[in-house]
Amino acid sequence: MRVCVLASGSKGNATYVEGGGLRVLIDAGLSCRALEQRLAAIGVEADALDAVLVTHEHVDHVAGLDRFAAKHPRAAVYANEGTAAVIERQCRLARRVPPEFVLFESRVPFALGGLTVTGVRVSHDTAEPVAYTLDDGTDRLGYFTDLGFVSPEVRAAWAGCTALVLESNHDAQMLRTSGRPYALIARIAGQSGHLSNDQACEALAQACPETLRALVLAHLSHDCNDPAVARARMARTLNAIGRADLAGALVLAGQDRPTPILDI
């Protein structure tokens, strides 16, 4: 399995996954042109994609979805019923044509080529948000961003993962002193918001899969986090639990360019 986070942050999210004989995009939160450019930068033709998996309907995850789906119809668009219904409504209000969705039921694994995909329920302020696990029978990717807390269901889902893309959105102190409106601070820090650096570290300290070989920190806030702070905090945690191997190979996803391609 190969993984590349094309973009991650409040201005747009998209991740490329290759496995089980398929080429898959998780989220399409950049413009159609930007998605094509990011894919081309890693040697992937947009027309070669087999599927797009949608986590939830926030614009930074679906900004380019309708236009990308129309231009590259080979890629089937997967979402649960709650997310699909909101995106369809958003498109119609904007007088745009919504994509045709392949619906799945959250928490129920489904086959996608040689992959087994599961939409894992998470806590976020949208209709029916999910994270994903993708399993090709040998490797297992967990994609967990946009969640307010790490539930027992989430911990159970990432058990056995060989690679994990995990949100490390904000530094709690930087968020509190950011000058943002209180309501926004409360939303981000709340149980339907985003994981802080400390929450991400605590969750891995409690339940780091023994199988894990690659870790990507994602959805870092531009204003309320610092990549060096997030990296140092997670590296300390990983070293403390005896996973210096992960600390040394830690990858941070950014907004402006793809990560290196991870072969897992």
Side-chain angles (χ1 to χ4, degrees):
M1 189 179 290
R2 306 173 77 219
V3 181
C4 176
V5 180
L6 301 174
S8 186
S10 61
K11 295 181 181 178
N13 297 271
T15 294
Y16 173 75
V17 183
E18 187 175 317
L22 297 180
R23 296 181 173 190
V24 177
L25 200 62
I26 302 176
D27 285 335
L30 303 175
S31 70
C32 180
R33 177 177 294 182
L35 287 168
E36 293 168 340
Q37 291 172 340
R38 298 286 174 101
L39 288 165
I42 63 169
V44 176
E45 293 288 337
D47 282 334
L49 289 179
D50 298 287
V52 181
L53 303 174
V54 183
T55 60
H56 63 289
E57 69 270 17
H58 278 163
V59 68
D60 56 322
H61 294 260
V62 299
L65 180 64
D66 57 331
R67 290 193 173 99
F68 189 86
K71 188 173 179 181
H72 305 286
R74 183 177 186 274
V77 181
Y78 288 78
N80 57 35
E81 187 173 359
T83 297
V86 177
I87 294 172
E88 287 172 349
R89 184 164 64 248
Q90 290 172 338
C91 286
R92 292 192 176 103
L93 286 172
R95 297 183 179 180
R96 291 157 63 169
V97 179
E100 292 187 13
F101 289 101
V102 180
L103 297 179
F104 64 83
E105 187 175 347
S106 300
R107 298 173 171 160
V108 178
F110 63 92
L112 181 58
L115 293 171
T116 299
V117 179
T118 305
V120 182
R121 289 297 301 268
V122 295
S123 176
H124 198 53
D125 55 352
T126 55
E128 194 180 346
V130 292
Y132 284 105
T133 61
L134 291 79
D135 194 319
D136 68 0
T138 301
D139 295 305
R140 182 173 182 165
L141 168 69
Y143 182 87
F144 291 87
T145 72
D146 296 76
L147 60 162
F149 69 99
V150 177
S151 66
E153 180 177 348
V154 167
R155 286 195 185 92
W158 76 35
C161 282
T162 49
L164 188 62
V165 178
L166 179 63
E167 178 169 70
S168 189
N169 176 257
H170 60 276
D171 173 85
Q173 177 65 17
M174 290 179 68
L175 177 63
R176 284 193 297 268
T177 59
S178 64
R180 292 180 170 188
Y182 175 78
L184 178 57
I185 293 173
R187 173 196 167 260
I188 293 169
Q191 290 206 332
S192 295
H194 293 275
L195 290 185
S196 69
N197 295 338
D198 287 346
Q199 287 174 303
C201 290
E202 289 165 6
L204 273 186
Q206 294 170 7
C208 183
E210 294 181 3
T211 52
L212 197 62
R213 299 196 303 268
L215 175 62
V216 180
L217 300 184
H219 218 302
L220 273 69
S221 170
H222 177 73
D223 299 320
C224 300
N225 209 345
D226 181 324
V229 170
R231 181 188 293 277
R233 177 72 177 86
M234 182 58 74
R236 285 197 303 271
T237 296
L238 293 171
N239 284 317
I241 63 172
R243 293 304 308 266
D245 57 321
L246 289 174
L250 188 60
V251 175
L252 270 67
Q255 190 71 82
D256 299 327
R257 62 184 61 86
T259 64
I261 297 175
L262 305 177
D263 288 295
I264 60 172

